[in-house]
Amino acid sequence: YEAKRAGETLAVYRAEHDQYTWQRLTLIGELRQAIDKGRLDLHYQPKVDLATGRVRGVEALVRWPHEQKGLLYSDAFIPLAEQAGLIRPLTLWVFEHAVRQATAWRHEGLVLTVSVNLSVKDLQDVDFPRKVERIFHLEGGDPSRFMVELTEGSMMLNPERALQVISALHRIGLRLAIDDFGTGYSSFAYLKQLPASEIKIDKSFVRHMVEEENDAAIVRSTIDLAHNLDLRVVAEGVENVATLEALRRLRCDMVQGFVVSPPLPAAEIPGWMRRFSL
Ligand code: C2E
Ligand code: CA
Ligand code: CA
Ligand code: CA
């Protein structure tokens, strides 16, 4: 850790005139602090069943309330966390807080499945499943009410080890969703190997599917593929009613997107659920 700090300082001197590098290093330092001190936040985006109109669960999405920059969304710092070697502690922080939140909701009579996003580095850590198991043990959560979401890309680095970690998570009871489906190098061989129960169609195909026949064809094929493999399918990035109705006609199981709800602070979820109807 000391050596890492020293390396960073050296890098700073070399980049004296490089404003961008300087800002980047500052942000990395601040992010490390925020993770250490638990100064992150989770927002939760509902996932709704199209056939019944019921809320099936929520996806935890990490936020960073930054002192100067305001509330930062995942896209603004997750890639940085991955490059700076901070994603493993970040993921564990997210897990701990998601499990704690689910327990709090349960005490309010709200039973929700909660999804957590994993990163490529998490799948390379053979101790990760044990760490997750310990969190459930300490926080008193039920792993079968949780899902992990991972992208096809996160399987690319050392697929054997990744599969080992995924299988261990599955044995604990966690369910698995394939995130951003269609954007990676999808291979049916590995889809067959994974103990997945859900596929999430990437929003890049969903957003314009009403106007773009090619996007609609991809969405339709993915829904059929998922159903033929006995997987449930979620469309993400559903922004309007026309898209929602098109997905219903295609027998898509679940939707997520701004038309239903943006990601919300935990405290707003119970009220939103009372008001929600599809
Ligand atoms: P993702 O898992 O594909 O999450 C969906 C992203 O789409 C979220 O952005 C969400 O706010 C946004 N979104 C939701 N509905 C709509 C919609 O209707 N239209 C549009 N245009 N966007 C919508 P966010 O929160 O910035 O997250 C970005 C990515 O960061 C996530 O993509 C995920 O890969 C990653 N991420 C988020 N939280 C975590 C985390 O706790 N751990 C890890 N490892 N990655 C995370
Ligand atoms: Ca996700
Ligand atoms: Ca996604
Ligand atoms: Ca994504």
Side-chain angles (χ1 to χ4, degrees):
Y1 185 69
E2 282 305 323
K4 230 167 153 183
R5 274 277 157 85
E8 252 182 50
T9 312
L10 201 69
V12 170
Y13 289 136
R14 284 199 193 115
E16 243 183 69
H17 305 289
D18 188 339
Q19 187 75 11
Y20 173 75
T21 307
W22 171 254
Q23 283 173 1
R24 207 181 118 84
L25 288 175
T26 308
L27 206 60
I28 290 172
E30 289 171 345
L31 182 57
R32 178 176 292 130
Q33 285 252 319
I35 297 167
D36 279 354
K37 304 236 161 81
R39 289 197 201 117
L40 297 173
D41 198 9
L42 290 178
H43 282 186
Y44 295 87
Q45 187 174 36
K47 205 163 63 178
V48 171
D49 191 307
L50 271 178
T52 63
R54 294 184 62 169
V55 179
R56 303 283 303 205
V58 291
E59 175 179 5
L61 293 156
V62 68
R63 302 289 181 253
W64 178 14
H66 189 280
E67 278 177 9
Q68 287 91 43
K69 298 175 197 290
L71 187 67
L72 297 183
Y73 280 52
S74 322
D75 273 343
F77 63 92
I78 286 288
L80 190 72
E82 282 172 342
Q83 291 153 19
L86 295 172
I87 200 74
R88 284 184 189 182
L90 186 144
T91 300
L92 289 172
W93 185 92
V94 170
F95 243 112
E96 186 183 322
H97 287 262
V99 172
R100 204 171 283 168
Q101 185 58 59
T103 305
W105 279 328
R106 201 178 58 228
H107 289 146
E108 291 179 52
L110 210 59
V111 181
L112 285 168
T113 295
V114 181
S115 302
V116 170
N117 290 281
L118 299 188
S119 162
V120 56
K121 295 268 173 59
D122 300 314
L123 299 184
Q124 292 303 311
D125 177 8
V126 288
D127 286 331
F128 180 66
R130 234 192 320 269
K131 294 171 188 163
V132 169
E133 207 171 12
R134 191 162 61 224
I135 290 172
F136 279 106
H137 191 71
L138 289 173
E139 302 292 334
D142 174 3
S144 69
R145 303 234 52 115
F146 283 77
M147 294 191 81
V148 288
E149 300 194 356
L150 47 99
T151 62
E152 302 156 89
S154 66
M155 292 285 300
M156 299 304 284
L157 187 75
N158 196 342
E160 264 148 55
R161 195 190 294 172
L163 197 60
Q164 188 190 333
V165 170
I166 292 164
S167 306
L169 292 171
H170 185 65
R171 275 196 301 276
I172 296 172
L174 291 160
R175 284 182 298 138
L176 171 67
I178 313 290
D179 206 355
D180 299 355
F181 190 80
T183 60
Y185 302 89
S186 328
S187 133
F188 295 127
Y190 101 90
L191 190 60
K192 208 180 75 177
Q193 279 190 311
L194 289 175
S197 55
E198 194 174 289
I199 283 181
K200 300 186 79 173
I201 310 175
D202 191 67
K203 55 179 179 285
S204 61
F205 304 114
V206 174
R207 280 170 74 188
H208 305 293
M209 64 175 281
V210 173
E211 314 94 74
E212 297 283 342
E213 181 46 40
N214 283 344
D215 286 342
I218 291 170
V219 170
R220 194 181 318 123
S221 310
T222 307
I223 293 170
D224 289 345
L225 171 71
H227 287 164
N228 289 334
L229 291 170
D230 263 329
L231 301 171
R232 302 178 62 81
V233 59
V234 185
E236 58 173 38
V238 184
E239 295 183 347
N240 53 59
V241 175
T243 308
L244 189 126
E245 288 308 327
L247 287 161
R248 201 203 296 273
R249 282 193 297 275
L250 294 174
R251 303 260 183 280
C252 185
D253 299 296
M254 285 169 273
V255 290
Q256 211 179 358
F258 296 160
V259 71
V260 175
S261 170
L264 297 172
E268 290 178 26
I269 289 288
W272 179 87
M273 286 193 59
R274 275 192 298 276
R275 287 189 309 272
F276 173 74
S277 74
L278 193 63

